Structures are given as structure tokens and as C-alpha cells.
Amino acid sequence: MQLDRQIHDKVFCPFISKDEIAHKVKNLSSEIQKDYLGEEILFIAILNGAFMFASDLLKEIPGNIQISFVKVSSYIGAQSSGRVDELIGLNTDLKAKHVVILEDIVDTGITIDKVISLLKSENPASVEVCTLLFKPEAFLGKQLPKYIGFEIPNKFVVGYGLDYDELGRNLNEIYQLKEE
Ligand code: IMP
Ligand code: MG
């Protein structure tokens, strides 16, 4: 049995086990392989959070696929006062490619909406989202992720790539913020 963990000032309790994650990752990879039979997929994993999920999911896919890792960066543009978002690290041509974005969690959906529209501007053949975790109560986005591992309540979680103020990413299970 796993124990509660203290990270910074908060206590987290075990929420999704190693085995449950592994089982779900296998199911997601089978679903994707079935849907893209005979197609080459370009997976784009969003750093930092998706590193562990991407690594485990892609080990379950034996065919020829490509993987690219990107970061989303936001800054205030020099010429305007508006927020500008860009993807760092995308050095692959997306033209006519079938893109599957890998995310650790879709919460409000704001991040993934931006990533989708930035990627679509590069004229891929298709763009879908595969997220390990999804918080339906928090979601305000336009497009629901096509592949969802676990729908979870609107509570903060850490582990398996997800952090609380940069700690907790290395945990091999997912923990949920403990109610006081
Ligand atoms: P968004 O609200 O869907 O735009 O989510 C933005 C980002 O916030 C996600 O990619 C995660 O990195 C982070 N995030 C959202 N919810 C959680 C959580 O419960 N734990 C850790 N990080 C989270
Ligand atoms: Mg993230």
C-alpha cells in the first residue's frame, strides 16, 4: 500500500496506481493503432508534463512513427501588448502528416486549444489529442480530446510527469491533493 506524500506545503494521497496507468496506456495505444492502421503518425508530446506518458505509450506502438517534443511558451509581444504563444522545438514539417498530440492533462483546455491552432497553421492532414488525464468540470475548450485515459474530478494531481511547483514529476503513480 502506498503512503501519503508531502510535497512543499501540501499532502497528496495515492489516486491512480502504477498498474492502472499501465493498463490504460496499453488500451490507448491499441485504440490509436486501430484508428491509424496503415498510416504513419507524427506524435507531438508537450513538455515537461507529458514526458513519462509519451515514453510509455510509444513503447507500446511497434510501427513506424515519428515523435517530436515541444514546449509552449507565452510572452508579451514587443510590438503589441497582447500575449503571444509559440511552440518551441517544433522542427518537423507537418504538411500532410497525421498528428497526435500527447498531453499529461487537459484541465481548462486553454493550452491544448492554442497548441491545436498553432499546429493546424502548418497544414497537417489531421490533428487529434491524446491525454492521460481530463478534468471535465474544468474544461472550457473548443475541441474535446479524442483519446482520454482517465476523467478525474477537478482536484490538483501530481506524479507520472505532473508537478506541484516542479516537484513530483518522477513519481510512478498519480497522487491527488488531500482534503484537510
Ligand atoms: P490547461 O488549464 O488545460 O490549459 O492546463 C494547463 C497545464 O496546467 C497542463 O498542461 C498542466 O501542465 C497543468 N495542470 C493542470 N492541472 C494540473 C494538475 O492537477 N496538476 C498538475 N498540473 C496541472
Ligand atoms: Mg502540461
Side-chain angles (χ1 to χ4, degrees):
M1 215 197 54
Q2 295 296 314
L3 301 172
D4 289 355
R5 298 195 65 117
Q6 169 108 26
I7 301 178
H8 296 300
D9 58 331
K10 301 207 184 318
V11 179
F12 292 85
C13 51
F15 180 47
I16 306 175
S17 74
K18 219 163 90 176
D19 289 350
E20 287 172 300
I21 297 170
H23 184 72
K24 190 66 79 172
V25 166
K26 279 209 169 92
N27 287 349
L28 286 170
S29 74
S30 314
E31 230 184 296
I32 293 172
Q33 288 179 83
K34 193 161 60 89
D35 290 352
Y36 291 84
L37 216 59
E39 305 278 5
E40 262 180 37
I41 309 172
L42 168 58
F43 287 94
I44 297 185
I46 315 293
L47 294 174
N48 296 327
F51 79 97
M52 215 178 263
F53 175 47
S55 166
D56 286 346
L57 183 94
L58 296 176
K59 280 183 271 184
E60 300 293 333
I61 300 186
N64 289 336
I65 56 108
Q66 275 182 278
I67 171 78
S68 192
F69 294 89
V70 300
K71 268 196 170 199
V72 186
S73 107
S74 300
Y75 60 96
I76 304 295
Q79 302 298 318
S80 73
S81 56
R83 230 179 72 153
V84 181
D85 294 284
E86 62 171 13
L87 287 179
I88 299 176
L90 187 68
N91 45 19
T92 319
D93 186 9
L94 300 193
K95 204 154 183 288
K97 297 259 170 75
H98 290 288
V99 172
V100 177
I101 302 168
L102 299 179
E103 250 296 30
D104 50 354
I105 187 163
V106 173
D107 184 30
T108 63
I110 291 167
T111 306
I112 205 71
D113 265 4
K114 292 220 175 89
V115 173
I116 292 169
S117 68
L118 289 165
L119 294 178
K120 280 191 172 162
S121 68
E122 307 269 325
N123 299 315
S126 64
V127 179
E128 296 295 350
V129 175
C130 174
T131 184
L132 180 67
L133 304 172
F134 179 57
K135 292 180 178 168
E137 296 155 34
F139 187 68
L140 303 166
K142 295 190 205 98
Q143 186 183 323
L144 276 174
K146 181 163 186 188
Y147 306 99
I148 294 173
F150 300 94
E151 291 200 357
I152 62 168
N154 195 6
K155 282 191 199 162
F156 198 79
V157 289
V158 295
Y160 199 71
L162 292 128
D163 72 307
Y164 169 45
D165 206 4
E166 293 307 329
L167 293 183
R169 294 194 196 278
N170 55 310
L171 302 174
N172 60 12
E173 311 204 300
I174 296 170
Y175 289 74
Q176 189 179 55
L177 184 63
K178 196 170 176 174
E179 300 293 347
E180 293 307 318

